[in-house]
Amino acid sequence: EIVMTQSPATLSVSPGERATLSCRASQSVSSNLAWYQQKPGQAPRLLIYGASTRATGIPARFSGSGSGTEFTLTISSLQSEDFAVYYCQQYNNWPPSWTFGQGTKVEIK
Amino acid sequence: EVQLVQSGAEVKKPGESLKISCKGSGYSFTSYWIGWVRQMPGKGLEWMGIIYPGDSDTRYSPSFQGQVTISADKSISTAYLQWSSLKASDTAMYYCARMPLDTYYMDVWGKGTTVTVSS
């Protein structure tokens, strides 16, 4: 099983600042990596797929980068609505044994 | 509007059976996979398995193989997740999500079904 490790577990950021979240895979997943945002009491929402492609309707302040085993989600200028938990997920293998990271909580500093 | 509408919250006793549903609308149901994701209270997301409604090809996470059954009825655009004998440890929120056929990120999610198993 591919293990996805996110860091940090919690990120304290002031509104307007930049946030950088990391996701590391235990083996290469190519660019088959997605990022999701989950707010309390809500379902997850797709932000990024293919490691760097923004999903429909996602603001340009969200960007993804990386390939292989190292990935980054950057939120360029945090808005109040961006405080949430962020998960990465690899979908590289077939038959599927896809895995999520444990999540990074972005909280208000 | 593309939607996945999940069935309502369930409260069950250990040993009981349960089938929850996920109904797709606003798109061609057989043009996407449907996946299921578990979120235990206060915890992260766990991928459980997927089904292609076109031919009911089903794949399970090794962690959930034999523990649940995923099925679909394409005539009513609905996917299902079922248990034959619930345990307290099945208490969780369960989400369904849509995935494109040739790449497997989850682009549309249902709102989730809460399952509580308690004696």
Side-chain angles (χ1 to χ4, degrees):
Chain A
E1 178 183 280
I2 298 175
V3 178
M4 307 301 292
T5 302
Q6 292 185 241
S7 60
T10 304
L11 187 61
S12 298
V13 186
S14 299
E17 289 188 340
R18 183 186 195 91
T20 303
L21 289 66
S22 295
C23 175
R24 174 176 292 178
S26 61
Q27 63 190 75
S28 176
V29 298
S30 186
S31 295
N32 296 310
L33 190 286
W35 289 94
Y36 303 89
Q37 176 194 66
Q38 188 178 33
K39 297 179 182 179
Q42 295 187 18
R45 177 175 72 144
L46 176 68
L47 298 176
I48 301 285
Y49 63 92
S52 61
T53 302
R54 273 191 305 278
T56 302
I58 301 303
R61 64 181 181 271
F62 291 92
S63 63
S65 63
S67 66
T69 62
E70 300 283 345
F71 301 89
T72 300
L73 175 70
T74 301
I75 311 171
S76 60
S77 177
L78 268 157
Q79 306 299 302
S80 57
E81 61 266 31
D82 300 336
F83 293 96
V85 180
Y86 293 83
Y87 295 94
C88 63
Q89 181 224 345
Q90 66 82 13
Y91 51 92
N92 186 60
N93 44 349
W94 190 270
S97 183
W98 304 322
T99 44
F100 290 90
Q102 81 278 18
T104 290
K105 182 180 180 180
V106 177
E107 63 176 26
I108 300 174
K109 186 174 183 179
Chain B
E1 180 191 4
V2 175
Q3 285 190 91
L4 294 173
V5 178
Q6 297 189 233
S7 50
E10 301 276 0
V11 180
K12 293 288 190 179
K13 296 187 186 313
E16 292 186 331
S17 63
L18 176 64
K19 191 173 190 178
I20 62 175
S21 66
C22 169
K23 182 174 176 62
S25 63
Y27 74 99
S28 172
F29 194 64
T30 55
S31 294
Y32 292 81
W33 293 82
I34 292 288
W36 288 93
V37 174
R38 183 175 78 174
Q39 187 168 40
M40 299 178 78
K43 301 299 184 183
L45 305 173
E46 299 173 89
W47 175 75
M48 301 177 71
I50 59 170
I51 188 165
Y52 172 57
D55 63 5
S56 292
D57 182 9
T58 307
R59 310 294 176 125
Y60 294 93
S61 162
S63 299
F64 291 93
Q65 180 83 47
Q67 307 305 307
V68 296
T69 301
I70 295 171
S71 60
D73 184 342
K74 64 183 179 182
S75 70
I76 55 172
S77 300
T78 301
Y80 303 95
L81 178 65
Q82 68 180 83
W83 295 258
S84 59
S85 181
L86 286 160
K87 302 184 281 288
S89 57
D90 293 318
T91 295
M93 177 72 83
Y94 294 88
Y95 295 102
C96 65
R98 185 185 82 162
M99 293 172 292
L101 286 184
D102 56 355
T103 180
Y104 305 104
Y105 53 86
M106 298 178 169
D107 68 346
V108 176
W109 292 66
K111 294 186 185 301
T113 295
T114 299
V115 174
T116 303
V117 184
S118 174
S119 56

